[in-house]
Amino acid sequence: MNRRDIVRDGYDDIAATYAAERDGEGRERGLVAGLADRLPAESRVLDAGCGAGTPAMDVLATDHTVTGLDISREQLQMAGERLPGSRLCQGDLAALPFPADTFDAVVSLHAVIHVPRAEHAAVFAEFERVLEPGGRLLAALGNEQWEGNNEDWLETGTEMAWSFHGRERNRELLTEAGFSITDVETVDDELGGVFAFFRARA
């Protein structure tokens, strides 16, 4: 099974457990709230790798029009139950199913880290493509380079796969994709590890 299949099937299998473990009440919620406050009312936002809709969709949906995209159907179903009437679609971060200049902001938390590193440049190019000029990006990316699998993630018996660059390579790739980086903050993750949260403008 390839890495994409492992991630999709894994999140389908453990959607409820993952949603319970990642409640989104930590610093990342504050970062999403900060983005929401910077956007004009009714801005169009893509949550790329939305999971069950927390924390990004449930924070942003109060004042903005949010579309959630995820590779996992089960995660999307949970997001729909959490936020009835939400705009949701299944898709791939490296080939977003939206026209250019569709969104005013893109949020992607703990999602790019599951895409094979060789495709991260394509993912960032897709984020830039679907953003309006000057649009905002908030993305949780690797702080240190790592790639590997866990065959019993969250003690569920389900395999999960990760693949990510470190902070400096992420900075380079985002810049090459056309982003101007405004800030990088290191955040301890509630499920373990440390991630670099990049704020940038298209």
Side-chain angles (χ1 to χ4, degrees):
M1 193 168 5
N2 65 36
R3 188 168 295 275
R4 245 184 200 80
D5 291 340
I6 291 170
V7 172
R8 184 195 62 236
D9 294 351
Y11 276 119
D12 280 347
D13 288 345
I14 66 165
T17 299
Y18 182 77
E21 293 284 339
R22 186 176 290 291
D23 59 19
E25 294 299 327
R27 173 58 182 153
E28 64 187 60
R29 178 176 286 269
L31 291 169
V32 174
L35 170 65
D37 290 344
R38 292 182 180 92
L39 296 171
E42 296 301 321
S43 288
R44 301 158 301 160
V45 185
L46 172 64
D47 186 356
C50 65
T54 182
M57 288 186 71
D58 56 357
V59 170
L60 290 158
T62 301
D63 297 312
H64 305 293
T65 302
V66 186
T67 299
L69 175 141
D70 205 274
I71 197 171
S72 163
R73 287 185 179 273
E74 291 298 321
Q75 292 273 42
L76 289 168
Q77 181 175 330
M78 293 192 69
E81 293 169 356
R82 183 182 184 89
L83 296 160
S86 300
R87 301 178 183 203
L88 299 167
C89 69
Q90 187 176 27
D92 192 308
L93 298 185
L96 296 174
F98 309 107
D101 305 335
T102 298
F103 299 102
D104 302 298
V106 171
V107 177
S108 187
L109 305 183
H110 310 291
V112 179
I113 60 174
H114 292 294
V115 177
R117 282 188 305 229
E119 298 179 40
H120 286 198
V123 171
F124 298 152
E126 281 291 271
F127 288 171
E128 201 277 339
R129 181 185 66 80
V130 301
L131 278 168
E132 290 274 9
R136 297 178 183 271
L137 172 68
L138 173 65
L141 306 174
N143 192 55
E144 300 288 342
Q145 178 175 298
W146 189 76
E147 182 172 88
N149 291 26
N150 183 332
E151 295 184 358
D152 184 24
W153 194 40
L154 303 179
E155 299 181 348
T156 60
T158 295
E159 184 178 11
M160 184 53 65
W162 294 267
S163 180
F164 47 87
H165 295 289
R167 178 191 293 239
E168 292 310 312
R169 183 56 177 154
N170 284 320
R171 183 187 295 275
E172 292 171 359
L173 291 173
L174 284 168
T175 301
E176 290 169 5
F179 284 100
S180 175
I181 296 166
T182 57
D183 183 62
V184 185
E185 180 175 335
T186 302
V187 177
D188 291 332
D189 185 57
E190 61 189 324
L191 299 185
V194 177
F195 292 96
F197 279 65
F198 281 78
R199 285 181 279 211
R201 302 291 292 267

